[in-house]
């Protein structure tokens, strides 16, 4: 059980999860947003606390995609479709096994999220300004995705709409554990 505090409430700026959404399904939490917004960090806190299965979408990219991004070239839709399909297959396995899970995936466009959308899937959108995310990215070391790629991610970002089951997390207000607790509170984990 999560004790949500007032501080946690400020971090969550939208929540469109229907009251009975998890009545028959376990939550599949897709942490989404541009590179460097904090998806993997929050995922680590959530999986530690709740023992959830975890998929990092970067691990599902073919090497060619990683090499392309590492050389400073954004992926195209064609690069992304098969990658999203393998991730969707992983989600289907969790649903078939009745397992709750966390997935970290940029899922920047609605059509990408449509590939992952299933009953029980909730998108947790980590929302920040370019400057807020750049501040985080500029301190991250040892990652193939360089800060110079951030603009290309914002260029194609489509924020989740009210017709999508999602929670918005306002980044930059709290440390990662508090962000994870806020997410857990919003999802009633
Ligand atoms: N709540 C936070 N406060 C401050 N820094 C954070 C927070 N969450 C993540 N970071 C830092 O921001 C950087 C990017 O986070 P990361 O989890 O790698 O993002 P993503 O998985 O979305 O690319 C990392 O250096 C991480 O330590
Ligand atoms: O669709 C894409 O362009 C890629 O998925 C891209 O989003 C990349 O994989 C990550 O952004 C880099 O990894 P982090 O998001 O973990 O920084």
């Amino acid at each position: 059980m999560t004790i949500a505090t007032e501080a946690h409430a400020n971090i969550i700026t939208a929540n469109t999860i229907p009251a009975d959404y998890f009545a028959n399904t376990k939550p599949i939490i897709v942490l989404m947003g541009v590179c460097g917004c904090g998806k993997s960090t929050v995922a680590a806190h959530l999986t530690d606390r709740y023992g959830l299965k975890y998929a990092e979408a970067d691990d599902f990219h073919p090497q060619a995609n990683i090499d392309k991004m590492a050389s400073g070239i954004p992926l195209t839709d064609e690069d992304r479709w098969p990658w999203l399909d393998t991730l969707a297959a992983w989600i289907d396995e969790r649903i078939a096994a009745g397992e709750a899970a966390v997935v970290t995936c940029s899922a920047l466009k609605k059509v990408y999220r449509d590939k992952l959308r299933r009953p029980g899937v909730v998108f947790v959108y980590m929302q920040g300004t370019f400057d807020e995310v750049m501040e985080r990215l500029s301190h991250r070391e040892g990652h193939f995705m360089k800060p110079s790629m951030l603009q290309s991610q914002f260029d194609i970002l489509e924020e989740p709409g009210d017709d999508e089951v999602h929670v918005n997390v306002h980044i930059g207000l709290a440390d990662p554990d508090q962000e994870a607790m806020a997410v857990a509170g919003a999802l009633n984990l």
Side-chain angles (χ1 to χ4, degrees), residues 2-157:
T2 303
I3 312 289
T5 67
E6 212 169 297
H8 294 149
N10 293 335
I11 299 170
I12 303 298
T13 55
N15 184 341
T16 68
I17 305 174
D20 59 352
Y21 191 60
F22 300 122
N24 301 308
T25 55
K26 292 277 173 61
I28 306 287
I29 305 161
V30 181
L31 289 165
M32 58 156 288
V34 297
C35 59
C37 65
K39 303 180 292 290
S40 313
T41 306
V42 167
H45 286 263
L46 282 176
T47 52
D48 277 359
R49 275 183 186 277
Y50 299 100
L52 305 171
K53 298 275 171 160
Y54 175 44
E56 160 62 73
D58 284 348
D59 296 339
F60 290 65
H61 276 303
Q63 190 59 41
N65 282 4
I66 301 282
D67 292 346
K68 190 169 181 179
M69 290 187 276
S71 67
I73 304 170
L75 300 181
T76 63
D77 285 357
E78 286 62 39
D79 295 323
R80 290 183 178 111
W81 297 136
W83 165 66
L84 290 165
D85 284 340
T86 58
L87 206 50
W90 186 90
I91 290 174
D92 284 337
E93 285 169 19
R94 301 287 76 72
I95 292 172
E99 295 170 334
V102 175
V103 177
T104 47
C105 176
S106 49
L108 297 172
K109 294 187 192 177
K110 184 167 189 281
V111 283
Y112 303 163
R113 296 191 290 278
D114 288 343
K115 284 266 191 191
L116 307 178
R117 204 183 311 278
R118 278 129 179 79
V121 168
V122 54
F123 292 95
V124 175
Y125 170 45
M126 302 199 54
Q127 182 180 42
T129 64
F130 181 93
D131 289 345
E132 284 169 330
V133 180
M134 183 54 91
E135 166 65 17
R136 291 187 175 189
L137 261 186
S138 60
H139 294 108
R140 185 168 73 170
E141 292 179 353
H143 197 288
F144 66 84
M145 196 79 168
K146 297 293 175 277
S148 58
M149 294 285 275
L150 183 60
Q151 187 59 54
S152 70
Q153 300 247 302
F154 271 101
D155 286 346
I156 64 164
L157 172 65

